[in-house]
Amino acid sequence: MCGIVGCIGNRSVTPIIVESLKRLEYRGYDSAGIATLNGAEIDITKTEGKIADLENILSLTNTACVGIGHTRWATHGIPSSTNAHPHADCSGSFAVVHNGIIENFQALKDELTSKGHIFSSETDTEVLAHLCEDCYNGDLESAVREALLRVEGSYAIAVISDNEPDVIVAARKDSPLIVGLGDGENFLASDIPAIRKYTNKVMYINDGEIVRLTRDNVTVSTLQGVNVERLVTIVDGSVQDAERGGYEHFMLKEIHEQPKALRDTMEDRLCELEGSIDFKELRPFEDEIKNIEGITIIACGTSYHAGILGKYALEDLLRIPVKVEYSSEFRYNNFLSGNRSLAICISQSGETADTLAAMNEAKAQGYLTLAITNVVGSTITRKADEILLTKSGMEIGVAATKTFTAQILTLYMLGIYVARLKKLIDVETSRHIITSMKSVPGLIESLLDNISDIEKASSRICEADCCYFIGRGLSYPIALEGALKMKEISYIKAEGFPAGELKHGPLALITAGTPVIAIVPKGKTYYKTLGNIKEVKARNAFVIAIANASDDEIVKYVDSVIKIPDIDELFSPMLAAVVLQLLAYYAAKDIGAEIDQPRNLAKSVTVE
Ligand code: G6P
């Protein structure tokens, strides 16, 4: 995790770096710092806390035109101003910001200490600053290169030195890094939105590459010193994407953006009349996809929950086995050969370290790899065999919302696409599914127009110290996601269970008044879930049901009902997900939690 930025130009870089760090704060926000270089010496300011805390202590009169910055999510060493980046060497001549983990830092630290280097922090990163000092022989780029050749682990780093006041050197291995090209100024950052305000011209830096930035020039070379020609990409996406646009929180804005995100994700892909999905990007792989005999879905967090839903839908449509694995587990399992198998790797950010590593493993085992991601140009898009983009627009709130429903939609579209390729469903059936699919954005809009029941239910949940989410079949992954949303942002203890599993343990947790949120849309498992609701009611739980608008029966069995519009069972999870996002949002708001930046979490987990 962590976010890094750098800027070299002809104007004061402090405000630019602060602004860019604010846009990277979703990557970590327990401490932050900035190092500027005014031609003669390096000045470092850092603090525990958020970018706003850093801003409060920064000198407004700093006119330095070269600088690097960092927002941290602690891995090695507690969040503190000492452990905050940038880190300097003994002489204060080198300053380094780093995103990643230096795995052999202890051995390097011991060696450098024995040479007389004095360390001041508990971080792994500090060894990089001392290594640069140790390797410096008149050329910063060579020193960084030499230092990195000794390092094991992952990194995106930026280094400045008072020996060369008009240069920033940066490098990457397994952590994201992009360069932005301006007019008489150049930038680097962990992602594009951080610098989008200043330029739309970017260069993607690859693993094992070093980049040297001056005001007027950017050169890229490999760690081994071979020069690399890198194309400049013009990016779109407006700067406004990164603004709250009148909403109190990014999360609320992003919940409300779901209809648009879904419409954009469907656009140009749905062929209702033909009952088919046009995934132009998959055409070169049609033969391989047609012959797929098994699928493994790999993801973390919310993307994993979309994956479970994908499993149910894909198995139903394709009649082949679909497994869902946590990325962090898959990469260390003894999995079987991926011959004639597809690995679908889901990651909204496209940068989750575990998912990237799992995808590499899958590739090595012979799987055809397909990435579903929301971020154009992210690492996953450059490593997967095939890519399907969700078109949700930038998501800033740490708790994923609009990207979740867009992932589900994309998995469903993929199911129809493959089912048609394999001739497993007829035009009539797929046309029917597509018609329902098209109605989802409008139904979410109507749901968002009337949220008073959700607000009421959330205040009831806030009165308790824990709550449980239950569902069966397609509603089970939504129960998991509802619980995840709740714990992520409101810190209320929340667990999701398959409703049928209650009697195998979780029922012991139910006491009088315990809130149980039952996701119970009409469908195959409706009456079974109703049975489970009765079980918890018999233990005096306070049951909040999420049920269809036309369900007049449910009110007899529960304490409170939140209605979702009627739709095909396959799509109810998308509507229920929106309810659960709002339920968590209002619970967090009641409690006064920091919704967009929950404690200890980060949006993009770029370390293992
Ligand atoms: C973090 C975020 C979650 C997200 C997960 C996977 O934990 O806080 O919201 O679901 O990473 O992220 P990805 O970008 O791979 O979907």
Side-chain angles (χ1 to χ4, degrees):
M1 297 144 41
C2 307
I4 69 167
V5 293
C7 178
I8 178 163
N10 292 306
R11 52 178 166 159
S12 167
V13 289
T14 302
I16 297 174
I17 292 176
V18 168
E19 181 65 25
S20 302
L21 285 177
K22 282 184 184 164
R23 291 174 195 272
L24 282 178
E25 213 170 6
Y26 72 88
R27 303 175 71 87
Y29 33 80
D30 58 42
S31 48
I34 153 169
T36 53
L37 182 47
N38 64 4
E41 58 186 23
I42 291 175
D43 177 39
I44 296 180
T45 307
K46 50 190 192 171
T47 180
E48 187 182 345
K50 305 203 168 185
I51 309 299
D53 301 306
L54 176 68
E55 211 173 358
N56 286 339
I57 57 165
L58 279 171
S59 158
L60 298 173
T61 53
N62 187 337
T63 54
C65 301
V66 180
I68 54 178
H70 189 269
T71 180
R72 180 168 187 247
W73 184 84
T75 54
H76 290 63
I78 56 160
S80 68
S81 60
T82 313
N83 288 335
H85 301 212
H87 288 287
D89 66 314
C90 306
S91 61
S93 274
F94 298 83
V96 178
V97 288
H98 168 221
N99 167 31
I101 292 179
I102 305 302
E103 284 164 6
N104 60 338
F105 88 98
Q106 193 58 54
L108 291 168
K109 190 171 179 175
D110 292 347
E111 180 194 321
L112 289 159
T113 307
S114 71
K115 282 182 166 177
H117 287 263
I118 296 171
F119 282 77
S120 50
S121 78
E122 298 157 341
T123 66
D124 53 331
T125 302
E126 196 184 340
V127 295
L128 292 172
H130 293 275
L131 266 181
C132 287
E133 179 186 21
D134 208 55
C135 299
Y136 189 73
N137 213 352
D139 178 48
L140 181 60
E141 187 178 336
S142 307
V144 173
R145 180 171 276 119
E146 208 178 307
L148 291 179
L149 285 170
R150 306 210 42 211
V151 155
E152 285 161 25
S154 60
Y155 53 78
I157 61 161
V159 189
I160 52 173
S161 168
D162 59 10
N163 295 304
E164 292 175 47
D166 298 311
V167 176
I168 302 178
V169 175
R172 108 164 238 183
K173 179 176 169 272
D174 296 333
S175 292
L177 180 67
I178 58 104
V179 165
L181 306 171
D183 195 7
E185 56 188 4
N186 289 310
F187 310 86
L188 63 88
S190 298
D191 71 17
I192 295 167
I195 54 161
R196 179 63 192 82
K197 186 170 173 186
Y198 307 106
T199 181
N200 66 347
K201 290 189 211 132
V202 304
M203 276 179 182
Y204 295 106
I205 305 305
N206 291 332
D207 281 346
E209 290 179 348
I210 291 203
V211 54
R212 183 175 190 276
L213 290 88
T214 61
R215 288 175 178 83
D216 302 307
N217 199 24
V218 172
T219 54
V220 184
S221 55
T222 64
L223 215 49
Q224 288 67 35
V226 179
N227 286 339
V228 174
E229 278 300 318
R230 183 56 33 83
L231 289 179
V232 175
T233 305
I234 307 293
V235 292
D236 46 40
S238 68
V239 181
Q240 283 75 29
D241 279 353
E243 313 288 348
R244 278 205 301 270
Y247 286 93
E248 199 176 341
H249 297 98
F250 279 111
M251 183 179 178
L252 190 61
K253 174 180 175 239
E254 288 157 4
I255 291 172
H256 280 264
E257 282 172 345
Q258 284 175 105
K260 179 175 177 350
L262 297 174
R263 285 193 183 105
D264 289 351
T265 302
M266 285 186 240
E267 200 184 354
D268 298 333
R269 286 167 161 174
L270 301 191
C271 313
E272 197 172 3
L273 221 58
E274 296 86 356
S276 63
I277 303 291
D278 185 8
F279 275 144
K280 294 183 187 63
E281 49 280 69
L282 299 188
R283 277 187 200 153
F285 301 92
E286 276 186 2
D287 286 338
E288 265 178 282
I289 293 174
K290 231 185 273 178
N291 293 323
I292 288 300
E293 289 171 358
I295 297 177
T296 301
I297 299 177
I298 302 165
C300 307
T302 291
S303 299
Y304 175 80
H305 296 152
I308 307 179
L309 210 48
K311 167 191 160 72
Y312 290 168
L314 293 174
E315 279 181 342
D316 199 36
L317 286 163
L318 307 180
R319 302 280 153 200
I320 55 175
V322 182
K323 290 191 292 177
V324 193
E325 304 261 3
Y326 284 114
S327 312
S328 52
E329 291 297 313
F330 177 85
R331 57 185 296 198
Y332 296 115
N333 279 352
N334 289 324
F335 39 88
L336 301 171
S337 149
N339 191 23
R340 287 178 178 255
S341 295
L342 176 69
I344 303 175
C345 305
I346 313 174
S347 173
Q348 87 74 27
S349 63
E351 301 292 352
T352 300
D354 282 325
T355 305
L356 293 174
M359 192 173 78
N360 285 343
E361 287 296 332
K363 249 188 172 178
Q365 296 297 320
Y367 283 82
L368 178 69
T369 55
L370 164 65
I372 297 180
T373 184
N374 195 45
V375 181
V376 182
S378 56
T379 305
I380 209 166
T381 62
R382 286 178 287 134
K383 296 201 166 171
D385 296 317
E386 314 157 33
I387 306 151
L388 286 177
L389 285 173
T390 51
K391 298 181 183 167
S392 306
M394 190 179 169
E395 189 176 70
I396 293 180
V398 165
T401 52
K402 59 178 178 173
T403 54
F404 176 61
T405 42
Q407 287 168 347
I408 298 170
L409 175 75
T410 306
L411 286 161
Y412 286 2
M413 288 195 291
L414 181 66
I416 303 171
Y417 172 83
V418 182
R420 289 302 310 278
L421 268 187
K422 284 175 164 279
K423 300 198 183 353
L424 295 168
I425 53 170
D426 56 28
V427 177
E428 210 48 51
T429 311
S430 55
R431 198 183 283 154
H432 175 79
I433 304 175
I434 291 172
T435 307
S436 296
M437 190 178 269
K438 281 180 85 172
S439 71
V440 174
L443 295 179
I444 294 181
E445 268 157 2
S446 67
L447 197 158
L448 288 169
D449 277 347
N450 184 7
I451 54 164
S452 52
D453 288 340
I454 304 176
E455 284 183 278
K456 244 184 269 158
S458 76
S459 13
R460 177 62 186 76
I461 291 170
C462 287
E463 288 162 17
D465 60 359
C466 63
C467 60
Y468 302 104
F469 294 72
I470 57 169
R472 281 174 180 257
L474 295 166
S475 298
Y476 160 55
I478 297 301
L480 295 180
E481 177 60 10
L484 178 63
K485 287 286 90 84
M486 189 60 77
K487 57 189 152 197
E488 269 182 313
I489 60 166
S490 75
Y491 315 141
I492 294 171
K493 289 186 208 97
E495 291 303 329
F497 304 110
E501 278 297 299
L502 275 170
K503 51 191 167 297
H504 300 294
L507 215 43
L509 298 168
I510 307 294
T511 54
T514 306
V516 173
I517 299 93
I519 303 134
V520 58
K522 284 281 180 181
K524 270 203 294 237
T525 57
Y526 177 78
Y527 287 103
K528 294 281 177 205
T529 313
L530 218 51
N532 301 125
I533 288 174
K534 288 176 191 160
E535 284 166 9
V536 288
K537 266 316 289 173
R539 275 88 188 169
N540 290 322
F542 183 89
V543 181
I544 301 163
I546 298 173
N548 286 127
S550 62
D551 184 350
D552 299 327
E553 200 181 349
I554 190 78
V555 66
K556 293 186 236 156
Y557 305 103
V558 302
D559 300 283
S560 157
V561 186
I562 300 170
K563 292 284 180 89
I564 55 171
D566 289 351
I567 190 167
D568 263 14
E569 191 183 359
L570 184 62
F571 295 99
S572 303
M574 296 172 78
L575 306 183
V578 177
V579 170
L580 295 179
Q581 292 163 359
L582 286 166
L583 203 62
Y585 174 81
Y586 286 109
K589 207 172 155 207
D590 259 23
I591 285 163
E594 268 204 67
I595 294 177
D596 286 329
Q597 297 177 338
R599 69 180 176 217
N600 302 338
L601 301 180
K603 183 138 194 81
S604 183
V605 184
T606 57
V607 292
E608 196 183 334

